[in-house]
Protein backbone atom coordinates (compact mmCIF):
# COMPACT_ATOMS: atom_id res chain seq x y z
CA UNK A 1 0.00 0.00 0.00
CA UNK A 2 1.63 3.24 0.98
CA UNK A 3 3.77 5.06 3.44
CA UNK A 4 1.91 7.88 5.15
CA UNK A 5 3.50 10.82 6.98
CA UNK A 6 3.53 10.34 10.73
CA UNK A 7 1.49 12.97 12.54
CA UNK A 8 3.70 14.95 14.90
CA UNK A 9 3.47 16.40 18.39
CA UNK A 10 1.43 19.62 18.33
CA UNK A 11 -1.14 18.25 15.89
CA UNK A 12 -4.63 18.12 17.43
CA UNK A 13 -5.25 14.66 15.97
CA UNK A 14 -2.86 13.31 18.62
CA UNK A 15 -4.76 15.01 21.43
CA UNK A 16 -8.19 13.45 21.24
CA UNK A 17 -9.66 10.12 22.34
CA UNK A 18 -10.04 7.95 19.25
CA UNK A 19 -13.35 6.57 18.05
CA UNK A 20 -14.42 2.98 18.66
CA UNK A 21 -14.12 0.78 15.55
CA UNK A 22 -17.56 -0.32 14.39
CA UNK A 23 -17.00 -1.04 10.69
CA UNK A 24 -14.25 -3.68 10.51
CA UNK A 25 -14.30 -3.79 6.70
CA UNK A 26 -12.22 -0.59 6.46
CA UNK A 27 -9.40 -1.97 8.63
CA UNK A 28 -7.26 -4.07 6.22
CA UNK A 29 -6.35 -1.09 4.01
CA UNK A 30 -5.65 1.14 7.01
CA UNK A 31 -3.54 -1.54 8.72
CA UNK A 32 -1.54 -2.09 5.55
CA UNK A 33 -0.69 1.62 5.41
CA UNK A 34 0.15 1.57 9.11
CA UNK A 35 2.66 -1.29 8.71
CA UNK A 36 4.28 0.42 5.71
CA UNK A 37 4.55 3.69 7.60
CA UNK A 38 5.82 2.07 10.81
CA UNK A 39 8.53 0.03 9.07
CA UNK A 40 9.62 3.06 7.03
CA UNK A 41 10.00 5.05 10.26
CA UNK A 42 11.65 2.07 12.02
CA UNK A 43 9.12 1.96 14.81
CA UNK A 44 7.94 -1.05 16.84
CA UNK A 45 4.39 0.19 17.30
CA UNK A 46 1.98 2.63 15.72
CA UNK A 47 -1.44 3.97 16.63
CA UNK A 48 -3.98 4.81 13.92
CA UNK A 49 -4.13 8.50 14.86
CA UNK A 50 -0.38 8.71 14.18
CA UNK A 51 -1.30 8.48 10.49
CA UNK A 52 -4.36 10.68 10.97
CA UNK A 53 -6.98 7.92 11.32
CA UNK A 54 -9.41 8.52 14.18
CA UNK A 55 -9.98 4.89 15.21
CA UNK A 56 -9.15 2.76 18.27
CA UNK A 57 -6.57 0.65 16.46
CA UNK A 58 -2.84 0.03 16.84
CA UNK A 59 -0.18 -2.35 15.59
CA UNK A 60 2.93 -3.78 17.23
CA UNK A 61 5.94 -5.54 15.74
CA UNK A 62 8.83 -6.30 18.04
CA UNK A 63 9.91 -9.36 16.06
CA UNK A 64 13.39 -7.90 15.47
CA UNK A 65 14.06 -7.80 19.21
CA UNK A 66 14.83 -10.71 21.54
CA UNK A 67 11.17 -11.14 22.23
CA UNK A 68 9.81 -13.26 19.45
CA UNK A 69 6.14 -12.35 19.34
CA UNK A 70 4.84 -11.85 15.84
CA UNK A 71 3.35 -8.62 14.56
CA UNK A 72 -0.21 -8.04 15.62
CA UNK A 73 -3.14 -5.68 15.30
CA UNK A 74 -5.32 -4.58 18.22
CA UNK A 75 -8.80 -3.09 17.86
CA UNK A 76 -10.93 -1.42 20.56
CA UNK A 77 -8.38 -2.33 23.24
CA UNK A 78 -8.80 -1.87 26.93
CA UNK A 79 -6.36 -2.61 29.76
CA UNK A 80 -8.34 -4.53 32.37
CA UNK A 81 -5.56 -5.45 34.76
CA UNK A 82 -1.92 -4.75 35.56
CA UNK A 83 0.86 -5.66 37.96
CA UNK A 84 4.46 -4.74 38.68
CA UNK A 85 6.21 -1.52 37.88
CA UNK A 86 9.10 -0.71 35.60
CA UNK A 87 10.88 2.45 34.48
CA UNK A 88 11.96 2.40 30.86
CA UNK A 89 13.18 4.96 28.31
CA UNK A 90 10.61 5.61 25.61
CA UNK A 91 10.82 7.44 22.32
CA UNK A 92 7.95 8.18 19.97
CA UNK A 93 7.65 8.49 16.19
CA UNK A 94 5.43 11.51 16.72
CA UNK A 95 8.01 13.24 18.95
CA UNK A 96 11.24 12.57 17.04
CA UNK A 97 14.56 12.86 18.86
CA UNK A 98 12.96 13.03 22.29
CA UNK A 99 13.16 10.35 24.99
CA UNK A 100 11.71 10.20 28.47
CA UNK A 101 12.01 7.74 31.34
CA UNK A 102 8.49 6.54 32.04
CA UNK A 103 7.25 4.36 34.87
CA UNK A 104 4.50 1.92 33.89
CA UNK A 105 3.10 -1.46 35.00
CA UNK A 106 5.34 -4.34 33.92
CA UNK A 107 2.50 -6.70 33.02
CA UNK A 108 -0.94 -5.89 31.69
CA UNK A 109 -4.06 -7.83 30.83
CA UNK A 110 -5.54 -6.58 27.60
CA UNK A 111 -9.04 -7.01 26.27
CA UNK A 112 -9.14 -6.40 22.52
CA UNK A 113 -10.56 -7.42 19.18
CA UNK A 114 -8.69 -8.77 16.21
CA UNK A 115 -9.26 -7.55 12.65
CA UNK A 116 -11.95 -10.21 12.20
CA UNK A 117 -13.88 -8.76 15.14
CA UNK A 118 -13.30 -11.67 17.54
CA UNK A 119 -12.83 -10.75 21.22
CA UNK A 120 -9.65 -11.69 23.06
CA UNK A 121 -8.13 -11.35 26.49
CA UNK A 122 -4.42 -11.87 27.07
CA UNK A 123 -1.60 -10.99 29.45
CA UNK A 124 1.45 -9.22 28.05
CA UNK A 125 4.82 -8.48 29.65
CA UNK A 126 8.19 -6.99 28.80
CA UNK A 127 8.64 -4.79 25.75
CA UNK A 128 5.32 -5.94 24.33
CA UNK A 129 3.43 -4.65 27.37
CA UNK A 130 5.39 -1.42 27.23
CA UNK A 131 4.61 -0.87 23.55
CA UNK A 132 0.91 -1.63 24.06
CA UNK A 133 0.66 0.91 26.88
CA UNK A 134 2.41 3.53 24.76
CA UNK A 135 -0.02 2.96 21.87
CA UNK A 136 -3.09 2.99 24.11
CA UNK A 137 -1.88 6.35 25.46
CA UNK A 138 -1.89 7.61 21.85
CA UNK A 139 -5.47 6.43 21.37
CA UNK A 140 -6.41 8.38 24.50
CA UNK A 141 -4.73 11.54 23.22
CA UNK A 142 -1.71 11.16 25.48
CA UNK A 143 1.97 11.42 24.51
CA UNK A 144 5.25 10.63 26.27
CA UNK A 145 5.61 14.37 26.83
CA UNK A 146 2.54 14.20 29.08
CA UNK A 147 4.33 11.71 31.34
CA UNK A 148 7.49 13.76 31.72
CA UNK A 149 8.14 16.10 34.63
CA UNK A 150 8.95 19.73 33.95
CA UNK A 151 12.68 19.24 34.46
CA UNK A 152 12.82 16.46 31.87
CA UNK A 153 10.77 18.56 29.45
CA UNK A 154 13.08 21.53 29.95
CA UNK A 155 15.90 19.45 28.49
CA UNK A 156 14.01 19.21 25.20
CA UNK A 157 12.42 22.65 25.27
CA UNK A 158 13.72 23.91 21.93
CA UNK A 159 13.25 20.54 20.23
CA UNK A 160 9.65 20.26 21.36
CA UNK A 161 8.96 23.82 20.26
CA UNK A 162 10.36 23.08 16.82
CA UNK A 163 8.36 19.86 16.35
CA UNK A 164 5.22 21.65 17.46
CA UNK A 165 5.77 24.55 15.06
CA UNK A 166 6.29 22.17 12.15
CA UNK A 167 3.30 19.96 12.95
CA UNK A 168 0.88 20.10 10.06
CA UNK A 169 -2.71 20.99 10.79
CA UNK A 170 -4.70 19.33 8.02
CA UNK A 171 -8.07 19.31 9.71
CA UNK A 172 -8.88 22.78 10.93
CA UNK A 173 -12.10 21.52 12.53
CA UNK A 174 -10.06 19.43 14.92
CA UNK A 175 -8.06 22.37 16.22
CA UNK A 176 -10.88 23.21 18.60
CA UNK A 177 -11.07 19.62 19.80
CA UNK A 178 -12.46 18.91 23.27
CA UNK A 179 -10.31 21.66 24.79
CA UNK A 180 -7.34 19.35 25.28
CA UNK A 181 -4.38 21.59 25.78
CA UNK A 182 -1.19 19.80 26.52
CA UNK A 183 1.34 22.48 27.33
ZN1 LIG B 1 4.36 7.12 20.09
Amino acid sequence: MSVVDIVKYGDPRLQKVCETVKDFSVLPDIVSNMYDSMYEAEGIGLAANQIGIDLNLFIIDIAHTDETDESAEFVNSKIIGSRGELTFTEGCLSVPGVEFEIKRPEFIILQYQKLDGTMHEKEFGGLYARAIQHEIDHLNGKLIVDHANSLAKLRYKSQLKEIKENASYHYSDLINNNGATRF
Side-chain angles (χ1 to χ4, degrees):
M1 294 295 282
S2 48
V3 172
V4 183
D5 281 343
I6 307 277
V7 176
K8 299 294 192 313
Y9 168 66
D11 189 306
R13 289 172 291 176
L14 292 177
Q15 295 172 342
K16 73 178 287 289
V17 178
C18 287
E19 299 289 331
T20 302
V21 173
K22 292 187 181 119
D23 176 8
F24 283 69
S25 70
V26 302
L27 299 185
D29 284 349
I30 295 170
V31 163
S32 170
N33 286 347
M34 285 172 71
Y35 274 113
D36 286 350
S37 308
M38 181 179 76
Y39 292 139
E40 173 74 16
E42 297 181 347
I44 60 168
L46 194 73
N49 55 344
Q50 288 184 280
I51 61 161
I53 306 286
D54 183 7
L55 287 176
N56 189 320
L57 160 71
F58 65 88
I59 59 171
I60 305 272
D61 187 353
I62 58 166
H64 67 286
T65 66
D66 292 342
E67 299 179 42
T68 52
D69 287 280
E70 288 176 9
S71 67
E73 306 82 32
F74 300 86
V75 184
N76 298 334
S77 307
K78 196 177 167 189
I79 294 171
I80 57 167
S82 65
R83 62 188 171 91
E85 197 175 81
L86 202 66
T87 299
F88 189 82
T89 306
E90 289 181 36
C92 178
L93 298 177
S94 293
V95 198
V98 174
E99 288 183 338
F100 292 115
E101 302 246 303
I102 298 174
K103 194 189 283 180
R104 297 187 191 270
E106 191 176 358
F107 298 92
I108 55 161
I109 298 169
L110 194 72
Q111 200 176 67
Y112 62 99
Q113 283 172 279
K114 288 192 178 175
L115 294 182
D116 60 8
T118 53
M119 291 288 299
H120 297 263
E121 201 176 296
K122 191 178 169 185
E123 186 177 61
F124 295 89
L127 184 59
Y128 218 109
R130 175 64 55 159
I132 288 172
Q133 292 175 84
H134 180 110
E135 302 315 331
I136 287 180
D137 270 358
H138 272 300
L139 299 177
N140 286 320
K142 197 169 180 184
L143 293 169
I144 53 171
V145 181
D146 302 309
H147 283 276
N149 62 39
S150 46
L151 192 67
K153 276 190 287 206
L154 198 61
R155 226 176 100 212
Y156 290 112
K157 199 179 171 191
S158 58
Q159 241 157 313
L160 289 171
K161 189 164 169 267
E162 200 186 323
I163 300 167
K164 209 170 191 172
E165 283 169 358
N166 292 329
S168 49
Y169 288 61
H170 296 298
Y171 300 114
S172 53
D173 58 321
L174 281 181
I175 291 174
N176 297 318
N177 75 94
N178 47 1
T181 314
R182 301 179 192 281
F183 91 94

